[in-house]
Amino acid sequence: MSKNKKNFDMAVVNTFFEHDYHDRGMVKWQGFYLSDHTAALKKMAKDRHSPSPIEKK
């Protein structure tokens, strides 16, 4: 067995997920979507303002 694999108590894991862990669900997904959307808008703005190969002559 490798060093990284450790024994754990499933009761502790279950308690954590039942009482302590809060899944943000849609809020987290919307954050990822917003991040991707913002990145795409920035790329579009950069592409729009960069000179085309024809203008470089």
Side-chain angles (χ1 to χ4, degrees):
M1 183 159 60
S2 72
K3 270 197 217 179
N4 293 335
K5 292 189 178 187
K6 298 179 181 178
N7 294 332
F8 58 91
D9 184 1
M10 270 313 277
V12 173
V13 173
N14 288 333
T15 301
F16 170 75
F17 283 110
E18 289 172 4
H19 302 286
D20 301 321
Y21 179 73
H22 175 70
D23 183 12
R24 298 180 338 182
M26 282 298 292
V27 173
K28 188 172 183 178
W29 179 85
Q30 288 171 344
F32 286 131
Y33 181 81
L34 179 61
S35 175
D36 288 347
H37 181 70
T38 303
L41 288 175
K42 286 182 181 178
K43 183 181 182 313
M44 285 174 49
K46 180 182 172 190
D47 291 346
R48 189 175 334 138
H49 294 294
S50 65
S52 69
I54 296 170
E55 294 175 6
K56 288 182 181 179
K57 289 183 178 182

